[in-house]
Amino acid sequence: MKIGVAAGATAATIVGASVPVTGMLEGYPVLTGQAMRYLLGAAVLLLVARRLPMPSWRDIPPLLGVVATGMLGFNAVLLAAQQYAEPGFVAAVMGGAPIALALLSRQRTTSAVVGAVVVAAGIVLLSGGGSWHGPGLALALLTMAGEVCFTLFAVGVVRRLGVLGVATWTCLLAAAIGAVLGTFFGGWQMPDTRQVFALTLLAVVVTALAFGLWYFAVNRLGSDRAGVLIGLMPVSGLVTSVLLGAQQLTLVSALGAATVALGCVIGLRRPPQPSAAAQPSSPTSSAALQGASPAAQP
């Protein structure tokens, strides 16, 4: 479990800290920029995986779901949402993602749901709320839905294709779809040195590394418990902004970060296991149970 928590926390921290890097691509075509980012990310993942498992027909819909909602769709909707709502409002609405993941998980636990609620409260404190107009609320909700779908669509297919397989195939599909759509919407543009640096960093660290770590964490922890770690994204963004001098650390933001940490601790608690004394036994089965290993017991 500790490895899964470390992987998920690292992935969330990387994504949160990458916000200033994403800002370096302002004005660059969104879809073709993503196509280049995901193609480079897929190349890095192929070098690591060396052997890419082939998806079956039943794997194609969830892989496309990840790409359409959690990758290309998420980034496009996020940019649109920020035109009609303050970033703090969008972040606050996205704080509902851990709650949605906890409630939609088949193996959801009370501790995961409670932890997700606490994390969401911490995110609201961190972001400071904010205002919106026009379709801002709807776009913010779609952004949250994209965040949730990025995890939920991958839960089953990760078990079949593996972490690297899912990360690589989604990047390849996103690169292909983004290139086709971007040709008609936005066009192609030669990136300057600053944009090349941003695309490379996003591809190697945020895409190849963070995607793999996140899906590893979801596979180890389950979507409900891994979901609470999403709260570390705005915390990481806050720390990065403070270190860069772009934002001051206030008492409210520090309280929000502490609340997120508390929610993560609550949500990551293991569900209580039934004790051996509470297990029903019979004279005919007690002898077999005495020699059984813990893994073989229900």
Side-chain angles (χ1 to χ4, degrees):
M1 175 181 169
K2 291 182 180 179
I3 298 177
V5 173
T10 302
T13 301
I14 290 173
V15 173
S18 69
V19 173
V21 180
T22 305
M24 296 170 67
L25 293 173
E26 184 177 358
Y28 194 79
V30 176
L31 289 171
T32 49
Q34 290 190 67
M36 289 187 286
R37 164 192 171 179
Y38 290 128
L39 181 61
L40 180 56
V44 174
L45 288 166
L46 283 171
L47 289 175
V48 176
R50 296 186 180 180
R51 181 177 175 273
L52 185 62
M54 292 298 296
S56 64
W57 285 110
R58 68 170 179 167
D59 296 326
I60 299 300
L63 289 174
L64 289 175
V66 171
V67 172
T69 60
M71 295 171 72
L72 296 177
F74 172 82
N75 289 318
V77 173
L78 178 61
L79 290 173
Q82 292 177 351
Q83 296 179 9
Y84 297 95
E86 295 179 358
F89 178 79
V90 179
V93 173
M94 287 180 63
I99 300 176
L101 286 170
L103 293 175
L104 293 173
S105 174
R106 294 180 179 178
Q107 291 84 27
R108 61 180 175 271
T109 62
T110 302
S111 59
V113 175
V114 173
V117 172
V118 176
V119 165
I123 293 175
V124 172
L125 283 174
L126 264 175
S127 62
S131 61
W132 58 276
H133 65 278
L137 175 60
L139 290 170
L141 289 171
L142 286 175
T143 304
M144 184 197 72
E147 183 73 39
V148 172
C149 291
F150 179 77
T151 296
L152 286 185
F153 274 123
V155 170
V157 74
V158 162
R159 300 193 187 101
R160 296 189 292 271
L161 298 180
V163 171
L164 290 177
V166 171
T168 305
W169 275 112
T170 51
C171 283
L172 287 172
L173 289 170
I177 296 173
V180 173
L181 293 177
T183 301
F184 298 97
F185 303 98
W188 293 86
Q189 178 181 318
M190 183 66 69
D192 57 26
T193 304
R194 187 166 179 261
Q195 292 165 343
V196 168
F197 171 78
L199 288 170
T200 303
L201 193 61
L202 289 172
V204 177
V205 180
V206 181
T207 301
L209 179 59
F211 277 25
L213 289 173
W214 180 251
Y215 285 141
F216 177 83
V218 171
N219 197 38
R220 282 292 185 95
L221 304 174
S223 59
D224 57 340
R225 290 196 292 166
V228 300
L229 295 172
I230 292 175
L232 296 179
M233 293 182 187
V235 174
S236 175
L238 170 67
V239 173
T240 303
S241 298
V242 171
L243 291 177
L244 293 176
Q247 183 177 346
Q248 290 186 345
L249 181 63
T250 65
L251 179 61
V252 174
S253 60
L255 179 60
T259 304
V260 168
L262 175 61
C264 289
V265 172
I266 296 172
L268 291 169
R269 291 179 59 189
R270 288 176 178 267
Q273 300 294 328
S275 62
Q279 297 286 344
S281 61
S282 64
T284 56
S285 63
S286 57
L289 286 175
Q290 287 176 0
S293 65
Q297 296 179 13

